[in-house]
Structure formats: structure tokens, C-alpha cells
Amino acid sequence: MSAIATASANSPNRAFPLEQTRNIGIVAHIDAGKTTTTERILFYAGVVHKMGEVHEGSAVTDWMEQERERGITITSAAISCNWTNQHGPYAGLNHRINIIDTPGHVDFTAEVERSLRVLDGAVGVFCAVAGVQPQSETVWRQMTKYHVPRIAFVNKMDRVGADFLAAIESMRDRLGANAHPIFLPIGAEDDFIGLIDLTSMEARIYDVADASGVTYEIGEIPADLLDQAKEYRENLIEALADFDDELAEKYLEGKVLTADDLRKAIRKATISQGFCAVIPGSAFKNKGVQAVLDSVINYLPCPLELPPMKGENSKGAEVLVEPNDNGKVAGLAFKLMNDGYVGKLVFFRVYSGALEKGTALCNPRTGKTERISRLLLMKADAREDIDTAYSGDICALVGVRDVVTGDTLCAKGYDVRLEPPTFPEPVISMSIEPKTTADQEKMATGLQRLAEEDPTFVVSSDEETGQTLIAGMGELHLEIIKDRLFREFKVGAEAGRPQIAYREAFSASAEGEGRFVRQSGGKGQYGHARIKVAPRERGAGIEIENAIVGGAIPKEFIKPTIEGIREAANNGVLGGYPVVDFKVTLFDGSFHEVDSSEMAFKMAGIFAFRQAMEQGSPVLLEPLMHVEVETPEDYQGDIMGDLNRRRGQIQNVQTKSAFVSISALVPLQEMFGYSTIVRSLSKGRASFSMEPERFEEVPPNVLSTILETSTRGRY
């Protein structure tokens, strides 16, 4: 905590010092209870005076019409609250918690990705019945990718089949998590009445007469659970000893370990990201959420306890940006939103400095200056004007224009560019056409604004048909886009059938030669290039090497030749799909002293690549989806048979209580309309989730069918 002792990092004007600030995300699989948990946090923190419910469409953080109608979270919502800890070393200290409630549906994974990029900690919510679910694995990987310390809340302890210890075991098995309970549940299902705190060895029993969950009594652990509590406390101490030498020494010497000893060790282990503390509860029945809030304060880091944010200067050298109100301003624009009242809102994490409204900031990507006309503290779809945002704060900017997700904004003269979040490529596309001429301009404006907001939504036009193509992460993603076009931008439009975003690849090495020669009197055109192409591993990307020696192609024509190669790779020879995962070596060519030009060599690059593609045994790649179906055992056979008919590869079958979980890899082409089929096969009792896994070669027996029935999937 030596960093926290450095009071000079805090401005005397900030309401909450850095050490009393937490930036956290609530992340989980769809329907695990993230939004309900967030609503309870806001209620107990005094932000709202009535708990909103997802199923009633009254949740504060589900503010979009589409979210309230469907009962799912579509866009991440930022909201702030204050919490005074009731237990632990921070008891009595008022803290500011900035919360981002993220979507669980895989179609909106970009919202999770960009939120985790700017958060200091996270609460992973798991279902006590289902344990680790497919999207739980995805968000866990995302947290690991951005080095986010985390705690886990095993929700729905009131549900039939709830098993807290089995849920922890599934975290260890499926996530490889070093997960240990810091609370144990007292009872389960209808008998879930409280928690046992393993650090203080006290019981929290909720008052059955108070349905809000505000009232609970702290007392002795029930006699029938005391041995279990002692056993799990011992396990917890042994796990923490790996992270805290002082605790290990006390333990080995047989000294009594206090609650504060354990809490200090849990915090150290959590921030190291090698340990995950687990808390049971039921957000819907208002039990355990205060323990989550206390744990956020006790165990998740403040901005000062994390390594400095890494960036680069204009020369590519590493720059470290440390949280300090007195430093130069630097931060990351991680989300854009169009607001009907104030225009473009830019969600911004301040990493360094104190940002005042009216300040002019530099965007290193564009080199332009952006003036901040207003600063807002976001409360879901509501907002509060503020004069200053300090390091560690999450706020919204008004007045900036040329900014995209992932841009750094910094003080003039501060040469730094922070690492932006990364996003997956779209896997599905469709054509969209305005119904009338009047809708044409409105549609173009609407699509442009929606594409600015969402990095996984891509708009393009088909050069041959002139159609507008939209691409996204799934059917639901594009359905929401269409709905928003209609409601927010009043656009009447017709959409075509969804198309798969196929890819093409080389399966063999090849050479290609391109010549572009035109003579029509006067100055002609001459360009000549020879290339070698070799396939690379899936996901390795494109590499282009210049191996020209002896001036066979002059330096000034190398760049246009490579541009031609890249342009040609956008349209393969099988179906016009982008070509991926290959290495091109430009090794020879020739030029004409008078007739050679950049345009001629660009065309030579295009011709050379096309010839190499035709000779390189091209293959078509299709997106494979990881599909997980949860179904009663009675319907297991029918559902597995249907997945096999869809060219699915069954990966795993697990029995969970009264349900069977079937994992399979299935081509996206075969999954259109699957939600209707799975409901029909199971009489409405089965559910499924789906997320992109990887691209794989299309089998020869279905290749011709796909090429005949699909339109080009370029975007």
C-alpha cells in the first residue's frame, strides 16, 4: 500500500480520494443476474429508492426500449454510487464506486470488451444452478486478457437445484480459476437464509420479515455448519499462504489469524490476479449483495494499486501513465453514444490529470484538437453536469467530434497514445435498402452513427449490385440495429436474408505474375511484379515481405504494388470473400523508365495476387460457432440428433442437476432459426447460447451448395 500513502496523487478538490475509488464491471453469461445484482447495489447504496426488476422492464441500467422489451442488456450502462463499508479494514470509510453493467449476450461482446479495457476490477456473476456457462468462459478470458482482478458472486442460491460448492468446482474445472469461498451459504433453495463470513467466523442471518434484505443479524455460526466453516476457513488460509509470506509464517507458527489478517491477504491475492474470492447470494431475493459491496471495497483495487497504464509515443517508445491528479491529462475514449439532447457522448476514462470542462485536448490519431464543452457523470440514461473529472474517474464528454472508440485524448504536448481495446470481426451480414427516396439520406445518417457507436457493426456497399451491406456479430445484433434505425432515426427499410461472412485461404504455396501494359499513343503504362504466396496458420493474419533486390522494382513503386496485393486480397477467387492467413513475398519484377507509374504497379500487384490465388488451391472458410444447449434429459437424444444433422461436432455432454448440457461446434450457416427449432424439439424447455469459435474449411460436399446459394459476403 506504499502507493496509497502518496497523498500527492490526489487533488485537494476531489470528493473521493483515489484510494477510496473503485471502477468495477458486472460481467456474466446472459441471464445469470448481472442487471438484477446492479439494481440491488444501487438500492442498498441509496441511488434508487425502489428496486427495478428486469422482468418488469423497470431496471435503471436497462434504459433502452429494446432492452426493456426483451429483458436483456444490450448496451453497457455506466452508473456511480457511494458505499460505506460495514465490515473490514475500510469500515466507516465512504467510497465512490463507478459501475458498468455489461451485456451477457455474445452478440454484444464488444460492450464487454471495451468496458473491461478501462476497469480496475470486476464482479463475475455465476448461476448457482448452472455454474459456469459458455459466455462465463468468454468474459473470464476477456478479464484475463486485460489483467482485471475479480471476485465472483454465485447468484440464484434461492433457485431449485442451487449448489454453491458445485458452482465453485465448475469455476476451477472450466475456467482454471483458483476460486475459494470467503462466505458459505446458510441453507439453499427456499431455505437460503444467510451467509457465514469465513474471515470473521460470524453468521449473517437475514430477517424474514424484511423482504428488502436491508436487515440482518450477526451472530454465531449454526452448530451443524461449524465444522464445515472451520474446514473451508482452513482451506482458504492454505490458499492465501501462497500469496502472503507474513500470513504463511503466522499460520505455520500456530498463531491466531484475525479477520483483518485474512482480509489483507485476500486483497493481496486478488490484486495479483492469481486468486478469486467467491460469495454466495440471491440478488432477486435480496440476500448477499451487501457482502458483495463490502468485498468490492475490501478486495478489488483502487487505481493506485494497479500497474501504470502503458502507452506509446509518436516514436514507438513505451510511455507509462500513472494515476495522478497533478499530472498531464491523458485518457481513453472507450464508448460512443448518440444522445437525442446533447448529440455525441464520448465515455472517457481519465488515467492521469484533472480534466476541466472547456479544456482543449489533442487526439494523437488525427492530430486535431478537441474542445470539451461539457463534462457529465453518467447515471445510466440520466446525467449530472460536473466541472472537473479527476484521474481514475469515468465520465462522458460533450463537444468532441472526430473521435472513435479506442482514441486517446491528452493534453497538448503530451506525446502518448494508450493501447485501445480490440474487437472481434463480424460473422454475419445482410443487405438493407430504404423503402423510399426520402428514407435514403436518413438511413445513411443512421447507419453512420450506429457504426460510430459499435466497432463490431460494419457498413459497406457491394460494388457490383450497389446494395448497402451491414455486418455484425449475430442475428440479434442486426435485428437490434434495424429496430434502432426505425425507432431512433425514423427510417423505413427492408432487410435481405442474413449472409455468412465467409473467408478464403490458400491451401498450397504458389507464385503469381502480374503485368499491366497499355500503349495508346504517347505515354503508356507499364508495371510488372512477381510474388510468392504461402499459407499461414489459422488466425495468423496477413504478412507481406519486400524481397526486391537490385532495383528490379524502384522503391517508389513498392508501396503501390503492395497496396494492389492488399486490395486484391479483399476479394478471393471462389466467391469474392476476403482472403486471410497468408504470407506474400514480392521478389521480382521490371519497370519502364518512362511508362511505369504507381497505378500500373498497383494493377500489377492485383493481377499477380489473383494468379497466385488461382494456383494456390484456394479453400473456403466458414465460421464455426460454439453452441451450448441446456435441456431436460428427455429431449437429449432429439437435440443431439438435430445438431449432428446440422454438421455439428458434439464436444461434451454434462449432466447438471435435472438438466443436460450439450456442447458442440456447429457451422453458423446451419444455425439460422435454431431458436425456433430447439423450442419445438423440447416443448419450450431447452435453451441455448452461441458464440464464434474459429474459422474452418468448408467440406467439399457442401462447398458448391454454399457458393450457389450465397451472395457475396464482402463488407
Side-chain angles (χ1 to χ4, degrees), residues 345-377:
L345 280 177
V346 176
F347 286 69
F348 190 68
R349 164 70 191 264
V350 185
Y351 282 104
S352 172
L355 174 60
E356 297 179 356
K357 68 177 182 181
T359 303
L361 295 179
C362 177
N363 184 340
R365 179 182 62 86
T366 63
K368 295 180 180 177
T369 298
E370 302 279 357
R371 185 167 296 279
I372 314 303
S373 59
R374 288 173 68 189
L375 281 173
L376 303 174
L377 188 66

Side-chain angles (χ1 to χ4, degrees), residues 366-424:
T366 63
K368 295 180 180 177
T369 298
E370 302 279 357
R371 185 167 296 279
I372 314 303
S373 59
R374 288 173 68 189
L375 281 173
L376 303 174
L377 188 66
M378 296 303 295
K379 296 185 176 178
D381 61 335
R383 53 194 65 83
E384 174 190 327
D385 275 279
I386 55 175
D387 293 325
T388 309
Y390 298 96
S391 60
D393 284 352
I394 292 175
C395 61
L397 314 180
V398 179
V400 294
R401 297 182 179 277
D402 190 6
V403 171
V404 298
T405 297
D407 273 355
T408 297
L409 294 176
C410 56
K412 291 180 181 178
Y414 192 10
D415 187 8
V416 64
R417 189 169 179 176
L418 299 169
E419 182 186 348
T422 56
F423 301 104

Side-chain angles (χ1 to χ4, degrees), residues 462-596:
D462 189 302
E463 295 174 6
E464 294 186 6
T465 64
Q467 287 181 309
T468 299
L469 299 177
I470 58 175
M473 297 305 296
E475 287 181 275
L476 179 61
H477 189 190
L478 296 184
E479 182 186 322
I480 296 295
I481 292 290
K482 287 191 295 177
D483 197 43
R484 291 187 64 188
L485 271 178
F486 173 71
R487 294 194 193 189
E488 293 176 33
F489 300 96
K490 307 293 187 271
V491 174
E494 297 283 355
R497 183 179 180 273
Q499 301 292 331
I500 308 298
Y502 292 103
R503 299 286 185 268
E504 296 183 29
F506 291 85
S507 64
S509 299
E511 290 192 13
E513 184 173 12
R515 290 180 182 272
F516 184 76
V517 183
R518 294 287 185 274
Q519 290 294 340
S520 54
K523 189 175 185 296
Q525 296 284 349
Y526 183 92
H528 172 219
R530 295 180 66 195
I531 62 172
K532 295 175 183 175
V533 184
R536 301 181 74 194
E537 290 182 4
R538 295 284 174 266
I542 297 172
E543 180 185 346
I544 299 180
E545 179 187 0
N546 172 23
I548 294 293
V549 292
I553 298 177
K555 281 185 179 179
E556 64 267 27
F557 298 136
I558 298 292
K559 185 178 178 183
T561 308
I562 290 174
E563 285 176 359
I565 292 167
R566 288 194 181 277
E567 186 175 309
N570 290 328
N571 299 281
V573 298
L574 291 177
Y577 301 106
V579 187
V580 296
D581 303 333
F582 60 85
K583 178 180 179 179
V584 173
T585 304
L586 175 62
F587 72 94
D588 198 9
S590 61
F591 68 101
H592 189 281
E593 292 283 357
V594 177
D595 292 349
S596 285

